[in-house]
């Protein structure tokens, strides 16, 4: 049974970067991807991007493509999302979801607060 | 970027049937959009109910089903239960490979 565990909450200052990790257990990288989504308080879900875990190929939402980088570490089964040049509007819960074709299992979410 | 639209809110009686829809600003939603449906309860992460228009995960209750209706993706709940009260989001994939979420539907079971 796939389980996805994300890193803990972060508080960051504007202009800095944050890196959120996501570890999926009982989950093989082959034929799989990791989706990244965020949700500001009371707002809709917002797709950030995805990474194909076998090849490392990425695709980003146009809104984020200049500030976000998705990576993965095959040896540890961990995926990462780095968001740079943070602004207050980036305050949100960030989710990853292990995807074997069906956006299968979501992580618990990571709260990122951007505040001076 | 395409705009994906959902009903902001719907109400269903316990035991009743309700259909949530998901439209695209680019035209009719087809099987090529591989539509997804997610359920999110307050304070919780979303869970995926439906993928690829009508496929279910092992954990998806049988009372939920996905389809295409009138040029839109649809999620039908038959036999609503109080625990189905939640926000429901659809997601459409586009040829650009950049999927877009709808604004969500707040479903009340009352």
């Amino acid at each position: 049974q796939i389980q996805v565990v994300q890193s803990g909450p972060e508080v960051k200052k504007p202009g800095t970067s944050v890196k959120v990790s996501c570890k999926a257990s009982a989950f093989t990288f082959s034929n799989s991807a990791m989706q990244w989504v965020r949700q500001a308080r009371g707002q809709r879900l917002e797709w950030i991007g995805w990474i194909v875990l076998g090849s490392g190929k990425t695709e980003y939402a146009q809104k984020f493509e200049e500030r976000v980088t998705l990576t993965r570490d095959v040896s540890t089964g961990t995926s990462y999302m780095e968001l740079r040049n943070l602004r207050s509007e980036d305050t949100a819960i960030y989710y990853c979801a292990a995807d074997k074709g069906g956006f299968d299992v979501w992580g618990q979410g990571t709260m990122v607060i951007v505040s001076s | 970027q395409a705009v994906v639209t959902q009903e902001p809110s719907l109400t269903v009686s316990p035991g009743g049937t309700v259909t949530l829809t998901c439209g695209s600003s680019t035209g009719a939603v087809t099987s090529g959009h591989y539509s997804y449906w997610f359920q999110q309860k307050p304070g919780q992460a979303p869970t995926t109910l439906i993928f690829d228009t009508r496929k279910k995960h092992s954990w998806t209750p049988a009372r939920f089903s996905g389809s295409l209706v009138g040029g839109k993706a649809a999620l039908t709940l038959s036999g609503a239960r109080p625990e189905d009260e939640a926000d429901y989001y659809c997601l459409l994939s586009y040829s650009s490979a950049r999927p877009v979420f709808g604004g969500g539907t707040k479903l009340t079971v009352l």
Side-chain angles (χ1 to χ4, degrees):
Chain A
Q1 182 178 343
I2 300 171
Q3 287 191 308
V4 179
V5 179
Q6 299 185 222
S7 49
E10 303 265 11
V11 179
K12 295 291 184 179
K13 295 200 179 300
T16 63
S17 300
V18 67
K19 194 168 187 177
V20 177
S21 70
C22 172
K23 184 171 173 61
S25 58
F27 182 67
T28 56
F29 269 25
S30 61
N31 300 316
S32 301
M34 193 67 72
Q35 304 274 0
W36 289 86
V37 173
R38 79 176 186 182
Q39 187 176 38
R41 187 184 182 93
Q43 301 299 309
R44 71 172 67 188
L45 299 170
E46 187 173 27
W47 185 75
I48 296 171
W50 69 322
I51 180 167
V52 178
L53 296 175
S55 66
K57 175 181 164 61
T58 55
E59 190 76 46
Y60 302 120
Q62 198 168 7
K63 174 178 179 177
F64 298 104
E65 61 186 355
E66 292 185 357
R67 296 196 296 138
V68 72
T69 301
L70 302 180
T71 56
R72 91 281 190 238
D73 183 332
V74 177
S75 65
T76 62
T78 303
S79 301
Y80 301 91
M81 183 217 62
E82 182 181 32
L83 187 62
R84 300 176 292 278
N85 191 20
L86 291 167
R87 26 217 198 223
S88 58
E89 310 88 89
D90 294 318
T91 294
I93 299 175
Y94 289 75
Y95 296 102
C96 61
D99 188 347
K100 292 195 75 70
F103 236 103
D104 298 59
V105 179
W106 292 66
Q108 82 277 19
T110 296
M111 182 75 222
V112 175
I113 295 172
V114 183
S115 174
S116 55
Chain B
Q1 176 174 292
V3 175
V4 177
T5 56
Q6 299 181 242
E7 298 87 359
S9 64
L10 289 170
T11 299
V12 62
S13 301
T17 296
V18 64
T19 297
L20 289 65
T21 67
C22 176
S24 173
S25 63
T26 61
V29 177
T30 69
S31 59
H33 288 93
Y34 302 100
S35 50
Y36 298 77
W37 289 94
F38 307 92
Q39 180 190 65
Q40 187 179 35
K41 297 183 179 180
Q44 296 184 18
T47 58
T48 306
L49 295 175
I50 302 289
F51 63 101
D52 196 5
T53 304
R54 61 184 78 245
K55 295 178 180 175
K56 300 181 184 183
H57 285 294
S58 59
W59 54 82
T60 303
R63 59 186 181 274
F64 289 96
S65 62
S67 64
L68 296 175
V69 176
K72 296 182 178 183
L75 176 71
T76 299
L77 170 58
S78 303
R81 297 183 181 183
E83 59 262 35
D84 298 327
E85 188 161 293
D87 293 329
Y88 292 83
Y89 291 92
C90 68
L91 177 74
L92 300 181
S93 296
Y94 291 86
S95 56
S96 65
R98 296 172 175 178
V100 180
F101 280 99
T105 295
K106 183 176 183 64
L107 182 66
T108 300
V109 181
L110 191 62

